[in-house]
Amino acid sequence: MSESSATVERVMVAEEPTTFVTRSVPYIQIELGGIPGDRHYGLLRPADSRQKIYPRGVLIANRRQISIVSKEECECIANRLDLPEIKPEWLGANIIISGFDKLTELHQGARLIFPDGTGLICEGENLPCIGPGRVIEKIYNESGLSQKFVPAAKKLRGIVCSVEREGRISKGDTIAFL
Amino acid sequence: MSESSATVERVMVAEEPTTFVTRSVPYIQIELGGIPGDRHYGLLRPADSRQKIYPRGVLIANRRQISIVSKEECECIANRLDLPEIKPEWLGANIIISGFDKLTELHQGARLIFPDGTGLICEGENLPCIGPGRVIEKIYNESGLSQKFVPAAKKLRGIVCSVEREGRISKGDTIAFL
């Protein structure tokens, strides 16, 4: 049934309350609410500027728990910005994959199935915002980078996913895209 | 922002453990897990024949908590079967609406917003199965109706929804489709 596959290069969590930047761990445990301890964990979250149909701040179903980027698309953003690299940590990614073409264009509703049966649902493109741009500007100490990040990352910034089946995702896992 | 609207004719729950048939109530309280006390309430549910990517019976995210049918489409099924009526209770519907064309063809991801701000996400067509057909066959005491129901109800059997924002849905509410 698998249309294609990819490899999990690394898994990461945002456990530090003051930043969305993630750090690598050997595996991530996936619950219905996301990754326990991660910044985006929760069954509910406050509506923000992306959900204009709800008043800002009211609690709505959280379907943006897991952020995934691809190694190839991060390289492409770096090329566009003339930088040696864009680390997925700086984008707040939880999973970095390789070997899958055009991850960011994956359609809403696609299923990502991991070796132990863990299942994620693609909820669509993670629209670029200025936060990671500010991190990158600070790291490279190059004024104006934060503004350049948003257009450079368009259609390359990866996807957000919600959880369909709980389990564990580890470095080296193969993902089947269904 | 509203593309179109509809009226809530009645709201119903399946509280009786032995049947999926619903009964009318003045309002339904909507939580993230669905309608408390209803047969389909729950954040998780066992995978069934519709989710072939998971072993049957493993727990997965429940996105089929709320079932909605339209008065017009129920009339259309009745016409196709040469019956005086098809009651939404027999289909296990939680909400019956009127004034919305081709409800069953509503796209996955459409939002249904109710007067108090309650928000549901359309998860797609509720594929006809033989259960309601058996109920209808028994009620009309007409042999063979259960088999005829499935093809007659295709693209007319309504949709299933998950909950995006909690609240209350009452008879007479206007729904905005976004």
Side-chain angles (χ1 to χ4, degrees), chain B residues 153-166:
Chain B
K154 211 174 166 188
K155 301 248 178 229
L156 294 170
R157 201 235 173 285
I159 58 170
V160 284
C161 290
S162 61
V163 178
E164 184 158 46
R165 188 181 174 202
E166 299 178 332

Side-chain angles (χ1 to χ4, degrees), chain B residues 4-80:
Chain B
S4 53
S5 66
T7 302
V8 174
E9 291 286 321
R10 286 194 289 136
V11 293
M12 291 165 282
V13 286
E15 290 169 321
E16 174 63 52
T18 57
T19 177
F20 59 83
V21 172
T22 43
R23 69 171 185 87
S24 283
V25 289
Y27 64 85
I28 45 178
Q29 203 66 34
I30 305 284
E31 294 181 1
L32 193 61
I35 307 163
D38 185 84
R39 186 183 184 84
H40 295 98
Y41 179 78
L43 291 172
L44 294 167
R45 67 180 181 83
D48 61 27
S49 57
R50 284 177 286 243
Q51 294 78 39
K52 295 195 194 310
I53 58 173
Y54 298 107
R56 202 179 176 110
V58 302
L59 290 177
I60 60 169
N62 184 8
R63 294 201 172 173
R64 307 174 50 83
Q65 285 108 334
I66 318 280
S67 156
I68 307 182
V69 300
S70 91
K71 194 180 154 206
E72 294 83 355
E73 290 185 335
C74 285
E75 286 166 3
C76 192
I77 302 173
N79 286 342
R80 284 187 180 178

Side-chain angles (χ1 to χ4, degrees), chain A residues 1 32 43-44 52-55 58-61 63 108 111 113 117 119 121 123 162-165 178, chain B residues 1 32 43-44 52-55 58-61 63 108 111 113 117 119 121 123 162-165 178:
Chain A
M1 284 199 303
L32 193 61
L43 291 172
L44 294 168
K52 295 194 195 308
I53 58 173
Y54 299 108
V58 303
L59 290 177
I60 60 170
R63 294 202 171 173
Q108 198 278 329
R111 261 60 176 181
I113 307 294
I121 302 174
E123 300 288 351
S162 62
V163 178
E164 185 158 45
R165 188 181 174 201
L178 303 177
Chain B
M1 283 201 304
L32 193 61
L43 291 172
L44 294 167
K52 295 195 194 310
I53 58 173
Y54 298 107
V58 302
L59 290 177
I60 60 169
R63 294 201 172 173
Q108 199 276 330
R111 262 60 175 179
I113 307 294
I121 303 175
E123 300 288 353
S162 61
V163 178
E164 184 158 46
R165 188 181 174 202
L178 304 177

